[in-house]
Amino acid sequence: KAGVTQTPRYLIKTRGQQVTLSCSPISGHRSVSWYQQTPGQGLQFLFEYFSETQRNKGNFPGRFSGRQFSNSRSEMNVSTLELGDSALYLCASTLTGIGADTQYFGPGTRLTVL
Amino acid sequence: GQNIDQPTEMTATEGAIVQINCTYQTSGFNGLFWYQQHAGEAPTFLSYNVLDGLEEKGRFSSFLSRSKGYSYLLLKELQMKDSASYLCAVILDSNYQLIWGAGTKLIIKP
């Protein structure tokens, strides 16, 4: 069974631009969560989607948005990029996202904002 | 607020035993995960605890005390490949959201 895939793996943008990241979950998984990881900060939760609906949201500004498609693939968009948005963006999929469902992570997209 | 504390970095010797601690103060609790993350790679699942006590899985064991808000990951017979960051995460019972610690970077020396 294929794992979680994320595209692109690396991205360089300049301040003010916008970016879209993509995540394809493990086949059959319906929940996709997005995280931002920066050195020393750990994983910061962005949002979680289940069956095309945003079920949970972290404490990030409205510049960060996402969506999920009927095939469970998810995209994350960041508008008006800031230098502080430079980070590794990870997505994780689970079957239902409830209880002890193990999260399976993709390799991440490393975003650099210049 | 939600708070999870782990040591930032630990060093241990190949073949030895190391214990990585995690303390948490969260508004709810529905279990605790430990993940391993090698540099430049995605986190991978190690263990899950929801009841008090020790869960053993090969060279790795994880302990939980819900009353103390405390968990630890015990790694035995350390190997060089165990050099990685170890992440502790708590599941909130209100919405099943995961709250993550900043991770402990474990350095193994020969």
Side-chain angles (χ1 to χ4, degrees), chain A residues 35 37 40 42-43 45 56 90 97-103 105-107, chain B residues 30 33 35 37 40 42-43 45 48 87 91 95-98 100-102:
Chain A
Y35 295 94
Q37 187 176 37
L43 291 170
F45 173 73
N56 286 308
L90 292 162
I98 295 176
D101 238 2
T102 300
Q103 295 206 342
F105 285 85
Chain B
N30 198 40
F33 284 106
Y35 277 75
Q37 185 177 25
F45 169 79
Y48 170 73
L87 312 177
I91 311 165
N95 58 8
Y96 302 109
Q97 182 179 324
L98 280 171
W100 295 81

Side-chain angles (χ1 to χ4, degrees), chain A residues 31-36 43-50 53-67 75-79 97 103, chain B residues 2 27 92 94-100:
Chain A
S31 168
V32 174
S33 296
W34 286 90
Y35 295 94
Q36 181 193 67
L43 291 170
Q44 303 295 313
F45 173 73
L46 282 154
F47 27 66
E48 184 233 353
Y49 285 87
F50 179 82
T53 301
Q54 188 181 85
R55 190 160 61 177
N56 286 308
K57 189 178 188 305
N59 297 321
F60 277 80
R63 300 186 296 109
F64 292 81
S65 63
R67 60 178 175 168
E75 287 183 347
M76 187 191 108
N77 185 75
V78 188
S79 63
Q103 295 206 342
Chain B
Q2 324 288 0
S27 55
L92 299 181
S94 56
N95 58 8
Y96 302 109
Q97 182 179 324
L98 280 171
I99 307 298
W100 295 81

Side-chain angles (χ1 to χ4, degrees), chain B residues 14-78:
Chain B
E14 191 177 15
I17 299 173
V18 72
Q19 177 175 310
I20 302 174
N21 295 326
C22 170
T23 56
Y24 61 90
Q25 291 173 306
T26 55
S27 55
F29 182 87
N30 198 40
L32 185 144
F33 284 106
W34 283 97
Y35 277 75
Q36 179 191 59
Q37 185 177 25
H38 285 102
E41 298 182 12
T44 55
F45 169 79
L46 286 177
S47 68
Y48 170 73
N49 294 71
V50 65
L51 300 176
D52 286 358
L54 187 68
E55 295 276 345
E56 297 187 75
K57 193 183 293 185
R59 294 190 300 116
F60 292 8
S61 302
S62 56
F63 171 84
L64 176 67
S65 169
R66 294 178 65 147
S67 62
K68 295 182 179 178
Y70 168 69
S71 173
Y72 67 72
L73 182 68
L74 191 71
L75 291 74
K76 303 176 185 176
E77 301 168 15
L78 286 170

